[in-house]
Amino acid sequence: MEVWDLYNEYRALVGRDHIRGEEIPQGCYHLVVHAWIRNRKGEYLMAQRSADRRDFPLMWECVGGSVLKGEDSLAGAIREVQEEVGIHLSREQGKLVRSVVREEVNGVPFRDILDVWLFEFDGPVILERATTQEVAQTAWMTKEQIQAYLGNGKLVQTLSYFFEIAGE
């Protein structure tokens, strides 16, 4: 059972826990992180979702997920990266590049606060070090390759904002 903190639209804790899968109460939001990892060549680490994932199986995305109860946004991003692709990052490597409150995305209620982090990393990606089976494979991609994946439907559509932040 995954437990999240709930926040108001101004990022203040509302003092209520939330269990993943239950409907998020009106006026409340949970914290979600996306972690974009860039190497010194300017390529971004992309992850292909496992075939058994309920949402978007075999589609490509950045690493990300929900922040757990008691975590801050950066700690959640670092944990998600370690769990999904086996990379250990430090807090100093992270830079917050976007934060947005989302009521819905493409007509689907989300009720989240999305924090987008950028990390610089040039080490090896050894997927066997991941602690979950959420990712089938990884690849380093240029902005142009990511754009092509978006255009041909291989990239999770909610990541289209990437091209606004890619210059960071």
Side-chain angles (χ1 to χ4, degrees), residues 111-122:
R111 291 199 190 115
D112 67 16
I113 300 169
L114 171 64
D115 283 351
V116 179
W117 291 93
L118 178 64
F119 294 89
E120 302 291 337
F121 176 79
D122 281 297

Side-chain angles (χ1 to χ4, degrees), residues 77-95:
I78 290 169
R79 176 187 46 78
E80 287 288 346
V81 169
Q82 201 286 314
E83 285 180 358
E84 293 184 18
V85 294
I87 296 172
H88 295 278
L89 298 170
S90 68
R91 293 182 72 86
E92 295 75 30
Q93 290 171 281
K95 176 183 174 186

Side-chain angles (χ1 to χ4, degrees), residues 3 30 32 39 44 54-55 62 80 86 93 98-100 120 135 145 154 157 159-161 167:
V3 180
H30 75 288
V32 172
N39 66 21
Y44 294 84
R54 185 188 70 159
D55 297 320
C62 65
E80 287 288 346
Q93 290 171 281
R98 175 181 253 200
S99 184
V100 61
E120 302 291 337
V135 174
Q145 289 169 312
K154 292 182 181 179
Q157 293 294 311
L159 300 179
S160 61
Y161 71 81

Side-chain angles (χ1 to χ4, degrees), residues 45 47-48 50 53 63 78-88 124-138:
L45 183 67
Q48 185 183 39
S50 295
R53 298 297 305 271
V63 174
I78 290 169
R79 176 187 46 78
E80 287 288 346
V81 169
Q82 201 286 314
E83 285 180 358
E84 293 184 18
V85 294
I87 296 172
H88 295 278
V125 179
I126 303 170
L127 203 49
E128 292 77 16
R129 293 181 183 165
T131 59
T132 68
Q133 301 296 312
E134 297 178 42
V135 174
Q137 63 177 324
T138 61

